[in-house]
Amino acid sequence: MANTDIKIKETLRSSELEPNFAEEITKHPGGEKLYLCYQCGSCAGGCPVGKITNSYKPRQIIRMALLGIKNEVLSSDSIWLCASCYTCQERCPQEVEIADLMLAIRNIAAKEGHAPKAFVEQATSLIENGRIPKITGLTQRRRTSLGLPELSPAPADVVKKIAAITGFEQLMEKLKEEAKK
Amino acid sequence: MNYALFFGCVIPTREPSYEASLRAVFKELGVDLIDLDKATCCAPIPIESLDFKTSLAIAAYNLSLAEEANINIMTICNGCFQVLSKANKTLKENETLRTDINKILAEVGREYKGTVDVVDYLQVLHNDVTPERIKENISKSLNKLRVAAFYGCHVLRPSSVLNFDNPEHPHILDDLIELTEAKSVQYMHKTKCCGGLLRGISDDLASKLARNKLFNISNSKADCIVTVCPFCFLQLDVGQLDVRRRFNETYNLPVFHYPELLGLAMGIDPEKLGLKTHRISTESVLKKIE
Ligand code: SF4
Ligand code: SF4
């Protein structure tokens, strides 16, 4: 990923803000406690990713979400840099579920056409095979040599059907189209 | 004592030594493992990141398989443990979502009822099999070894969902390692993330996080690392080659899945445990415990 920093304007115009963004997040499981954040920064302080790059600042993303700076947040690569280690979630004094909240923001971003290629590829493989990694000849040879039975294909039809009902299959098609642009 | 074994998709396809050693060890300990033939991938965080409902429905489908067999699910991957536990808790507590998800599952001929629990295999070993029983099966002391316990994130956190151990100062894996008489060493930032989920998103950051873990572990003079999670294993085993390329640092730290270490202490042949499938040679450790 190339452009990871969130672009922040020096002056915010209220006409450019989307006040409904925060509420949209709170409707997602994991996003409910967004409004409780009082910006103490404990999340950022213990964040292993924040420690090694300036491109990821969980407290800042939460602040921007609260202010309604929607497009910048959703189109940034930064929201995909959370490693989902849940350290912040254990430590937040306000019990904001920060790691889950990032997942909620990503869900909204994906609907708007933003998602990293790696995740879309994994999802596509899951829909097609019922598993993310593929079974290869090497897999089967190594299994046999360790006395394990050959691995049978997973019931991909089940996953495919679920993905069709939830709109996931269509969402992945849309994201693949967006990536081509 | 029996459990439905949920081994996910990374272990059987990419880390068969984990599966082989776990099956061998559990057989010796007399725990019956029932395979869920119709299981799929658990739909982990990358899928949950794109659409939580799809992830929840797939997790619920897999939980329903164990419900039908009427036995609790035992996971051996941190990712599966966290995703299935979270889905189970959400669906047990949230009636609206449960109704929603069951409408989807009806289309594939299944129903989620909320009648089973999800446990990790370390809990099974620690709480059900018990340290005493495990000790009775140990025939070889690993007392010359210094081992770095590597929990990974998703067996510990979020603790409100997983209830596994103290989320920042855990001891279960250390205890299980010390049953072999090896020394479980302390090291800086022990419960910090390996960066596995950033692979493919930012390989640079993923490598940096893995490198920091290796650096802290090697400072503790550990002979090897013992992991629980297949993603941590990849980050630390084959990941060491990547770290060497990017940072010009060579650690040569062998990495073991916990059942491989226990298997060695139970006198199981290293060939059978599949140690040769690791990218970082385990020879130095095997020599030390000869
Ligand atoms: S730790 Fe919690 S309250 Fe503090 S800034 Fe982060 S989310 Fe907000
Ligand atoms: S869950 Fe994400 S934001 Fe929280 S500490 Fe871990 S990497 Fe940082």
Side-chain angles (χ1 to χ4, degrees):
Chain A
M1 293 192 135
N3 161 40
T4 41
D5 289 352
I6 301 193
K7 288 181 215 77
I8 304 171
K9 292 183 189 139
E10 295 211 354
T11 322
L12 288 175
R13 285 177 198 284
S14 57
S15 59
E16 293 169 359
L17 301 178
E18 306 235 14
N20 295 335
F21 183 38
E23 200 173 321
E24 194 181 347
I25 296 171
T26 59
K27 298 226 168 82
H28 256 272
E32 298 94 338
K33 296 186 187 148
L34 172 64
Y35 290 124
L36 293 178
C37 170
Y38 54 30
Q39 291 287 298
C40 70
S42 299
C43 49
C47 175
V49 181
K51 203 144 275 173
I52 57 168
T53 175
N54 283 329
S55 301
Y56 184 64
K57 301 182 171 116
R59 187 196 57 81
Q60 187 186 72
I61 292 173
I62 291 169
R63 183 73 181 138
M64 291 176 79
L66 282 166
L67 285 168
I69 309 177
K70 184 174 177 177
N71 291 338
E72 285 80 349
V73 168
L74 293 187
S75 63
S76 78
D77 292 339
S78 183
I79 55 171
W80 303 92
L81 290 181
C82 169
S84 303
C85 76
Y86 285 81
T87 305
C88 51
Q89 195 149 323
E90 293 292 339
R91 296 181 183 177
C92 173
Q94 287 292 87
E95 296 179 7
V96 179
E97 295 165 333
I98 304 140
D100 289 329
L101 195 142
M102 287 302 159
L103 300 183
I105 294 179
R106 288 175 181 180
N107 273 216
I108 300 170
K111 284 207 183 68
E112 306 255 326
H114 308 288
K117 203 165 147 245
F119 283 4
V120 177
E121 280 170 5
Q122 290 178 34
T124 307
S125 181
L126 171 63
I127 296 170
E128 280 164 13
N129 310 304
R131 286 195 188 95
I132 294 173
K134 295 197 177 68
I135 304 176
T136 63
L138 178 67
T139 308
Q140 302 291 32
R141 280 197 301 281
R142 281 163 115 196
R143 291 183 64 83
T144 315
S145 74
L146 291 176
L148 294 169
E150 279 207 355
L151 198 59
S152 348
D157 52 323
V158 170
V159 176
K160 216 175 164 72
K161 187 131 194 209
I162 291 175
I165 302 169
T166 59
F168 193 62
E169 206 174 4
Q170 300 86 317
L171 179 66
M172 290 313 108
E173 289 311 317
K174 179 178 160 187
L175 288 168
K176 274 183 251 173
E177 282 305 312
E178 286 290 331
K180 280 188 205 146
K181 280 183 198 163
Chain B
M1 205 182 302
N2 61 5
Y3 291 93
L5 172 63
F6 193 90
F7 51 43
C9 47
V10 177
I11 294 165
T13 54
R14 295 190 65 185
E15 301 173 40
S17 69
Y18 193 1
E19 184 183 335
S21 58
L22 180 112
R23 287 189 191 274
V25 162
F26 272 66
K27 195 169 169 203
E28 299 261 319
L29 294 171
V31 184
D32 282 335
L33 299 177
I34 289 122
D35 286 343
L36 294 172
D37 289 332
K38 286 183 279 177
T40 68
C41 162
C42 70
I45 283 175
I47 308 303
E48 204 186 342
S49 293
L50 299 171
D51 183 43
F52 87 94
K53 209 171 237 177
T54 303
S55 164
L56 195 57
I58 295 173
Y61 161 81
N62 284 296
L63 289 165
S64 81
L65 299 176
E67 290 179 351
E68 188 183 322
N70 202 20
I71 35 178
N72 288 331
I73 284 196
M74 183 184 93
T75 57
I76 68 172
C77 164
N78 286 12
C80 301
F81 178 57
Q82 198 237 24
V83 166
L84 295 180
S85 303
K86 196 166 151 190
N88 209 20
K89 186 172 196 284
T90 306
L91 293 170
K92 277 184 187 176
E93 290 172 1
N94 187 328
E95 217 184 308
T96 322
L97 269 176
R98 191 167 65 236
T99 311
D100 256 24
I101 295 296
N102 269 332
K103 273 190 202 137
I104 301 171
L105 290 191
E107 299 286 323
V108 291
R110 306 220 57 97
E111 186 191 356
Y112 168 88
K113 299 196 182 83
T115 51
V116 297
D117 291 325
V118 180
V119 289
D120 185 78
Y121 80 104
L122 296 188
Q123 293 173 307
V124 171
L125 290 174
H126 199 267
N127 308 335
D128 300 347
V129 179
T130 72
E132 294 71 35
R133 265 252 319 275
I134 297 172
K135 268 208 142 135
E136 285 166 17
N137 283 272
I138 285 177
S139 55
K140 183 174 190 158
S141 168
L142 307 186
N143 62 1
K144 288 191 198 124
L145 277 192
R146 292 172 60 79
V147 176
F150 202 106
Y151 287 84
C153 299
H154 299 143
V155 79
L156 299 170
R157 299 182 292 266
S159 59
S160 59
V161 174
L162 303 176
N163 289 316
F164 175 83
D165 199 344
N166 183 307
E168 303 213 46
H169 303 283
H171 64 88
I172 291 183
L173 179 59
D174 298 78
D175 294 354
L176 288 171
I177 286 169
E178 297 210 325
L179 289 178
T180 68
E181 293 179 3
K183 165 100 186 115
S184 182
V185 301
Q186 292 306 321
Y187 58 94
M188 282 268 280
H189 304 311
K190 192 165 179 172
T191 56
K192 263 219 170 116
C193 177
C194 73
L197 274 172
L198 292 178
R199 278 278 160 217
I201 302 290
S202 166
D203 286 338
D204 179 47
L205 295 179
S207 274
K208 269 192 192 134
L209 289 174
R211 182 261 164 199
N212 290 349
K213 299 295 303 190
L214 291 162
F215 177 81
N216 287 325
I217 290 170
S218 77
N219 275 345
S220 73
K221 304 269 179 295
D223 299 305
C224 62
I225 306 172
V226 165
T227 57
V228 191
C229 170
F231 295 99
C232 299
F233 180 87
L234 288 178
Q235 273 290 81
L236 299 168
D237 182 59
V238 58
Q240 278 183 58
L241 310 181
D242 185 42
V243 166
R244 184 157 62 205
R245 234 179 357 255
R246 287 173 193 261
F247 302 94
N248 202 14
E249 291 176 356
T250 304
Y251 290 97
N252 272 335
L253 267 167
V255 191
F256 291 84
H257 300 287
Y258 177 69
E260 295 174 343
L261 185 87
L262 183 58
L264 288 174
M266 287 166 68
I268 302 174
D269 179 4
E271 287 275 335
K272 246 180 135 177
L273 296 171
L275 300 183
K276 289 228 169 82
T277 60
H278 296 199
R279 298 300 291 274
I280 302 295
S281 165
T282 55
E283 275 308 312
S284 59
V285 167
L286 296 181
K287 267 209 187 91
K288 208 161 183 176
I289 62 170
E290 247 166 29

